């Protein structure tokens, strides 16, 4: 029973003070240490230099081999389909689909896509957030720049890898 497991811990041990295994990559990890937005960010340009870790690329390549699916064009509109893509989430607290978000990669325009929790219903109440698809990116270091309209301080959380699962060493 689930409640028996908790009582099996010694009185001095809790899940809060138990060491966690080291991770090489983790779900929803920032694309770089400085990809987490400062709580004072209120819009404008947010720039971050990053390189895709080999472990991320390896995981996505393995997933592509395991899921040998002939995805249809409209399925690329759902972030949870075509799971071998390297998607990067532009994370907002309480996202809305009416914001004009602009992105550049190494100074060149980059398409910003909108994610909805339904492939066919692109309604504001179904909006999950904005993302960019970096699947064709090479192993070099790149600069991602995102321009946000005026925001409340702390609303923009940062830039995070999607479609990546935690890997423990």
């Amino acid at each position: 029973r689930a409640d028996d497991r908790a009582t099996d811990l010694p009185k001095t041990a809790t899940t809060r003070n138990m060491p966690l295994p080291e991770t090489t990559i983790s779900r929803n990890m920032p694309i770089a240490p400085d990809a987490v937005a400062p709580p004072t960010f209120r819009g404008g340009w947010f720039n971050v230099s990053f390189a895709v870790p080999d472990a991320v690329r390896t995981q996505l390549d393995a997933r592509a081999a395991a899921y040998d699916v002939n995805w249809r064009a409209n399925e690329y509109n759902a972030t949870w389909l075509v799971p071998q893509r390297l998607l990067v989430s532009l994370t907002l607290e309480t996202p809305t689909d009416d914001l004009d978000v602009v992105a550049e990669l190494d100074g060149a325009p980059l398409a910003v896509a909108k994610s909805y929790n339904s492939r066919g219903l692109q309604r504001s109440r179904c909006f999950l957030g904005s993302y960019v698809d970096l699947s064709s990116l090479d192993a070099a270091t790149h600069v991602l720049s995102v321009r946000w309209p005026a925001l409340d301080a702390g609303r923009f959380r940062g830039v995070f890898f999607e479609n990546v699962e935690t890997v423990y060493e």
Side-chain angles (χ1 to χ4, degrees):
R1 291 185 350 209
D3 51 297
D4 288 341
R5 286 179 283 176
T7 59
D8 288 344
L9 289 173
K11 295 281 187 211
T12 58
T14 67
T15 54
R16 288 186 184 168
N17 65 13
M18 295 177 83
L20 295 173
E22 292 293 319
T23 61
T24 53
I25 58 174
S26 63
R27 181 179 214 158
N28 296 323
M29 73 180 204
I31 66 170
D34 59 345
V36 176
T40 56
F41 184 81
R42 299 179 63 87
W45 285 101
F46 183 83
N47 305 300
V48 60
S49 295
F50 72 101
V52 179
D54 290 339
V56 168
R57 186 70 65 199
T58 299
Q59 185 180 106
L60 296 176
D61 290 346
R63 190 175 299 137
Y67 291 96
D68 187 21
V69 175
N70 186 18
W71 298 100
R72 294 186 301 245
N74 69 329
E75 293 173 319
Y76 282 77
N77 294 332
T79 55
W80 62 91
L81 295 176
V82 198
Q84 65 268 25
R85 294 181 291 167
L86 179 61
L87 302 182
V88 172
S89 172
L90 312 174
T91 305
L92 278 182
E93 180 180 312
T94 60
T96 57
D97 64 353
D98 60 346
L99 296 176
D100 182 27
V101 183
V102 174
E104 296 179 354
L105 184 67
D106 300 327
L110 181 64
V112 176
K114 295 180 179 183
S115 176
Y116 295 84
N117 66 4
S118 172
R119 286 181 277 172
L121 297 174
Q122 294 186 350
R123 297 184 177 142
S124 293
R125 71 173 190 250
C126 299
F127 184 65
L128 299 173
S130 299
Y131 69 95
V132 294
D133 187 339
L134 301 179
S135 298
S136 60
L137 211 57
D138 59 29
T141 299
H142 298 276
V143 176
L144 177 64
S145 301
V146 181
R147 189 186 73 211
W148 292 96
L151 299 170
D152 290 336
R155 185 170 175 207
F156 175 56
R157 298 306 177 117
V159 184
F160 302 87
F161 286 118
E162 288 286 332
N163 290 346
V164 175
E165 297 299 323
T166 302
V167 174
Y168 296 100
E169 292 181 345

